[in-house]
Amino acid sequence: MSSTKITNIDAVELQEGIQNAAFHEDDDDTSNASSSREQQATSVSVTRPEENEYTQIKPYAGMPKEVLMLYSRKACYRVPREIIFWLIIACTLALIAMTITIVALSPRCMSWWQLSPVYQVYPRSFKDSNADGVGDLKGIKEKLSHFEYLNIKAVWISPFYKSPMRDFGYDVEDFRQIDPIFGTMEDFDELLASMHDKGLKLIMDYIPNHTSDKHIWFQLSRNGTEPYKDYYIWVNCTRDKPPNNWVSVFGNSTWEYDEVRQQCYFHQFLKEQPDLNYRNPRVIEEMTDIIHFWLKKGVDGFRMDAVKHMLEATHLRNEPQVDPDQDPSTVDTEFELFHDYTYTQQGLHEILTNWRIDLDAYSREPGRYRFMVIECYDYEEIDKTMRYYGTSYVTESDFPFNFYLLYLPDDLSGNQAKSLVHLWMSNMPKGKWPNWVVGNHDKPRIGSSAGTEYIRAINMLLLTLPGTPTTYYGEEIGMVNVNVSVIQDPFGQHDPSNSRDPQRTPMQWDDKLNAGFSDSENGTWLDIAPDYSTVNVELQQADAHSTVSQYRALSLLRGAELALSRGWFCFVWSDVNVFAYLRELDGLNKAFLVVLNFGEDTTTDLSSVTELPDTLTVHLSTVPISQKTFTKSRIPTSRGQGMLLEYSTNQRFHLNHASECSVSEKACYLPALDILYKC
């Protein structure tokens, strides 16, 4: 090239050729390439600076990077690019900061045992799958859809271990086997898998205090075989003279003379249920291994049975009589003694705390929290019950069962309802989770003790109070006690007035043979209730206003409404007829007023509650009513009626009435982001 003028495009292209360091030619063309590069260098060097400026007005497709770089350096392109870059950085940092803030400020997520009622299944009476007249594990599996219908997520199943059935499963012969009456271990595994597939949790009954006298441990212990010799509590005695005045729960002496060992063994229940010796570390180890056995199988939690009986004083002194003037020879029931040496002894909570640690070790997998609930009747000594929550330093159970609502029928009224609810809420340690029980396999059905007209209002109470409600099978349809023809309960055989058979009769599924519980033509283990043709699941599911339909509606509402599941609980009113309270959540305009009538027809005036709006809307009533709104100064309720009233307000009752309100964990709702945060 001899020309001294070249185009800008040629100049750029030649310059690009010079700067391509990665380009290599064959050896045969080396001299030609060298000559070409010299000519290119000469051509570029003679190009005038002012002619080397690129004058293309707009970028074009396929432009070389040198052209692109020329454009990228211009302010009109560079400034927007840098603005976008820093905006992206700022937005990313803001999102990270917002995420951290939301996580830090968000209240703890509720666990599965807080989100749903716990439903107790008494397996002998729930559903019989093989027509032998006794319920079983396959029968429970057949009815899992019932739990889904009720919006139940947690199911507690009473004992199904191998047992001689002297106390219907609470006398365990082998903790690692299923009793043939209920099925096989394969049946259990299938039931558990099916429940987990449906999002259901299984809570097992665990009986740590005692075993059956048929248990291999006891058989070896009575023979003096090591290391089982001290697995139970043995003391020297004679056939006709027990070591002291201790009395069992079922009545009479807690001591039974054994002809084989020629000593007395200790039992706080039936003589066929010898107490384990928890002063022996090997016993604790054995019982802990049993917990691990079932946890490894995948169970979701345990209900710890009769734990206050697990330890006894070693000095064996007589317990003081409630009536010091009573003839000691006539003392034969547990309520005639102060159980200073046999209930809730020192060392009990250490054992339970260690079991809590074992459950926590299995709770590390997300979504697999292992639940622990304590059964303990402490009656007026509620401080002992509260101790099972643990301390500020150590967690024990998730909660101890709250049995105080069982006493509601003793003085059925609005005042009694408030008193029993306040008893628990005022004694519960700060930040702990409440729970409520109105029936179980040991206590009369609430429909019989309170009256069938109050069943629906009591279910509304159970499902709208803060915390976890526990429902005993059949309560959702209003089952009542049945006067059975033959007493099966050993407690009832000792004292017919205390028989527990009436509340254990078979579940009423439909109006067909045996209420749909069993296809047995030889009857069922306990009598079927005579009202099964009108009180059954199938019939009530078809009626939108039935007891079970209302139970389901309240259960669904409890899960859907933040104010009911984790909001403030505040007492508003109580008198001889009515108990009223409200549920509200900071930041949420929607709130609920619950009005329950446990007396006679009345009209309640809440005009003094300034935080309530003048008009309240009926969300649900346990009895059909045509009126859908009420003024707060005139809220009529009939005998046994419950009403859930909804209202909108920005005023908060709890801010001005701290002594009347409580909440387990404070949370506020932020409507703009539809999230909860700590407040």
Side-chain angles (χ1 to χ4, degrees):
M1 284 184 195
S2 58
S3 173
T4 59
K5 182 178 181 180
I6 61 173
T7 65
N8 289 333
I9 294 176
D10 291 336
V12 172
E13 290 175 347
L14 289 173
Q15 189 174 10
E16 181 180 11
I18 295 170
Q19 294 178 350
N20 189 356
F23 181 76
H24 298 280
E25 295 188 5
D26 295 339
D27 293 340
D28 294 342
D29 298 328
T30 301
S31 59
N32 293 334
S34 177
S35 175
S36 176
R37 284 193 294 271
E38 291 175 359
Q39 293 177 10
Q40 291 170 0
T42 303
S43 299
V44 172
S45 64
V46 298
T47 304
R48 289 191 296 270
E50 63 275 12
E51 292 180 344
N52 198 35
E53 293 295 329
Y54 186 64
T55 58
Q56 178 76 24
I57 296 175
K58 294 181 179 179
Y60 61 93
M63 72 182 76
K65 67 178 181 181
E66 284 78 10
V67 176
L68 183 61
M69 291 302 292
L70 287 174
Y71 278 101
S72 67
R73 296 189 188 102
K74 294 190 175 189
C76 61
Y77 295 105
R78 177 174 51 79
V79 173
R81 184 176 70 247
E82 291 179 355
I83 291 173
I84 293 172
F85 171 78
W86 289 112
L87 279 175
I88 292 173
I89 295 296
C91 289
T92 302
L93 292 175
L95 286 173
I96 293 172
M98 184 180 295
T99 302
I100 294 172
T101 302
I102 290 174
V103 171
L105 294 180
S106 294
R108 182 177 51 186
C109 292
M110 295 172 67
S111 189
W112 56 265
W113 52 272
Q114 298 171 307
L115 292 170
S116 145
V118 173
Y119 189 101
Q120 181 189 357
V121 169
Y122 194 69
R124 294 181 70 91
S125 297
F126 196 64
K127 183 67 173 73
D128 172 22
S129 70
N130 59 1
D132 65 354
V134 180
D136 46 50
L137 297 180
K138 284 187 175 180
I140 298 173
K141 181 183 174 185
E142 289 178 10
K143 292 297 184 178
L144 294 183
S145 59
H146 184 60
F147 307 134
E148 294 180 297
Y149 171 80
L150 296 175
N151 193 39
I152 298 290
K153 304 298 182 185
V155 181
W156 154 34
I157 305 178
S158 293
F160 45 80
Y161 307 104
K162 185 178 181 182
S163 167
M165 295 296 163
R166 290 291 298 155
D167 192 19
F168 298 115
Y170 285 93
D171 50 324
V172 180
E173 182 179 344
D174 192 331
F175 285 97
R176 292 180 172 87
Q177 291 188 37
I178 307 296
D179 194 274
I181 289 177
F182 300 120
T184 65
M185 187 62 78
E186 183 180 358
D187 294 335
F188 171 80
D189 291 337
E190 291 179 358
L191 171 63
L192 182 60
S194 296
M195 290 181 66
H196 285 171
D197 287 344
K198 293 178 178 294
L200 302 173
K201 304 294 185 179
L202 191 154
I203 302 166
M204 282 187 65
D205 228 323
Y206 183 64
I207 302 99
N209 179 68
H210 50 264
T211 70
S212 165
D213 61 352
K214 303 301 182 185
H215 198 291
I216 186 62
W217 296 346
F218 186 76
Q219 296 301 314
L220 293 171
S221 182
R222 72 195 305 213
N223 290 327
T225 303
E226 295 291 354
Y228 302 98
K229 182 179 179 180
D230 294 325
Y231 268 39
Y232 298 84
I233 301 163
W234 297 92
V235 299
N236 294 324
C237 68
T238 61
R239 290 181 181 85
D240 56 354
K241 187 176 181 181
N244 54 36
N245 72 341
W246 295 356
V247 176
S248 82
V249 173
F250 288 132
N252 298 322
S253 176
T254 60
W255 300 99
E256 183 71 16
Y257 184 78
D258 182 65
E259 294 288 350
V260 175
R261 184 153 165 167
Q262 296 188 351
Q263 284 184 307
C264 283
Y265 65 86
F266 180 70
H267 61 91
Q268 294 211 53
F269 293 88
L270 295 174
K271 63 184 178 63
E272 293 87 359
Q273 296 170 293
D275 276 37
L276 287 162
N277 177 19
Y278 278 90
R279 306 291 181 188
N280 184 342
R282 291 185 65 92
V283 170
I284 298 177
E285 183 180 346
E286 291 269 21
M287 296 304 288
T288 302
D289 287 345
I290 291 167
I291 291 175
H292 283 260
F293 173 81
W294 292 103
L295 288 173
K296 289 176 182 176
K297 276 195 162 290
V299 301
D300 300 289
F302 295 98
R303 175 252 190 194
M304 302 287 186
D305 177 71
V307 297
K308 74 177 182 181
H309 301 279
M310 287 171 56
L311 289 170
E312 303 76 29
T314 57
H315 53 62
L316 304 182
R317 298 172 191 156
N318 282 345
E319 292 189 313
Q321 294 180 189
V322 173
D323 179 4
D325 298 326
Q326 182 180 356
D327 181 356
S329 64
T330 65
V331 174
D332 62 357
T333 68
E334 65 168 327
F335 297 106
E336 294 174 306
L337 294 175
F338 292 110
H339 297 278
D340 297 342
Y341 308 137
T342 53
Y343 292 179
T344 320
Q345 297 297 292
Q346 186 175 0
L348 169 64
H349 292 287
E350 285 75 12
I351 296 172
L352 297 176
T353 298
N354 286 331
W355 284 347
R356 171 74 266 175
I357 293 171
D358 289 318
L359 266 66
D360 286 342
Y362 285 83
S363 301
R364 292 169 185 164
E365 182 182 348
R368 293 306 310 274
Y369 182 81
R370 307 306 173 96
F371 171 70
M372 177 174 168
V373 59
I374 297 294
E375 185 235 22
C376 186
Y377 291 89
D378 288 306
Y379 305 103
E380 69 277 2
E381 297 180 297
I382 192 171
D383 57 312
K384 290 185 177 180
T385 301
M386 294 300 166
R387 178 63 180 81
Y388 293 105
Y389 274 113
T391 68
S392 56
Y393 304 102
V394 178
T395 300
E396 198 164 310
S397 68
D398 291 294
F399 54 71
F401 270 136
N402 171 9
F403 296 120
Y404 290 94
L405 282 182
L406 292 169
Y407 304 113
L408 179 60
D410 293 350
D411 179 25
L412 190 61
S413 66
N415 288 330
Q416 171 78 338
K418 179 186 176 180
S419 175
L420 294 174
V421 172
H422 181 261
L423 177 66
W424 190 270
M425 299 302 288
S426 61
N427 284 279
M428 184 179 67
K430 184 178 180 180
K432 296 300 183 179
W433 189 256
N435 75 101
W436 314 94
V437 176
V438 296
N440 59 33
H441 60 290
D442 287 329
K443 300 298 179 180
R445 288 191 177 275
I446 197 71
S448 292
S449 57
T452 55
E453 65 268 41
Y454 295 105
I455 290 175
R456 297 187 183 201
I458 291 172
N459 278 339
M460 179 174 282
L461 172 72
L462 196 69
L463 292 166
T464 56
L465 285 172
T468 298
T470 297
T471 293
Y472 183 50
Y473 83 96
E475 286 176 354
E476 72 275 25
I477 61 172
M479 284 179 61
V480 296
N481 288 354
V482 177
N483 293 322
V484 299
S485 56
V486 178
I487 294 177
Q488 304 280 357
D489 178 26
F491 200 11
Q493 292 170 352
H494 173 74
D495 180 0
S497 65
N498 286 323
S499 175
R500 298 167 296 179
D501 290 339
Q503 60 262 29
R504 297 178 176 181
T505 56
M507 180 67 173
Q508 295 157 212
W509 293 106
D510 54 43
D511 60 358
K512 301 178 180 63
L513 176 68
N514 298 321
F517 162 72
S518 172
D519 293 330
S520 171
E521 297 181 356
N522 298 317
T524 55
W525 82 283
L526 285 176
D527 299 332
I528 301 292
D531 65 355
Y532 77 92
S533 61
T534 57
V535 180
N536 64 70
V537 173
E538 183 179 75
L539 184 68
Q540 290 193 15
Q541 284 185 347
D543 179 3
H545 302 290
S546 67
T547 303
V548 76
S549 294
Q550 290 185 357
Y551 182 100
R552 178 176 186 262
L554 287 167
S555 180
L556 289 168
L557 189 69
R558 180 184 179 275
E561 295 291 347
L562 289 171
L564 292 176
S565 61
R566 65 186 310 159
W568 285 88
F569 165 80
C570 298
F571 296 110
V572 171
W573 181 269
S574 73
D575 58 25
V576 68
N577 295 309
V578 168
F579 175 40
Y581 52 91
L582 59 83
R583 304 298 311 278
E584 63 183 17
L585 183 71
D586 290 304
L588 192 66
N589 289 335
K590 183 191 292 187
F592 295 94
L593 173 69
V594 183
V595 182
L596 304 168
N597 187 313
F598 293 115
E600 303 298 331
D601 297 3
T602 188
T603 298
T604 305
D605 180 4
L606 297 181
S607 56
S608 61
V609 185
T610 58
E611 291 83 1
L612 287 175
D614 291 333
T615 303
L616 306 165
T617 303
V618 177
H619 188 98
L620 190 150
S621 172
T622 60
V623 299
I625 55 174
S626 57
Q627 191 172 344
K628 297 304 179 183
T629 60
F630 292 97
T631 61
K632 68 177 180 179
S633 61
R634 188 172 179 80
I635 304 176
T637 52
S638 59
R639 176 185 175 95
Q641 182 182 2
M643 279 202 301
L644 183 66
L645 301 167
E646 181 181 325
Y647 62 93
S648 296
T649 181
N650 291 319
Q651 297 187 60
R652 292 290 168 260
F653 183 88
H654 72 85
L655 296 177
N656 301 318
H657 306 273
S659 63
E660 299 295 317
C661 299
S662 60
V663 67
S664 291
E665 184 176 0
K666 290 201 301 183
C668 293
Y669 179 69
L670 184 62
L673 296 178
D674 191 25
I675 62 171
L676 289 171
Y677 64 94
K678 294 177 184 177
C679 55

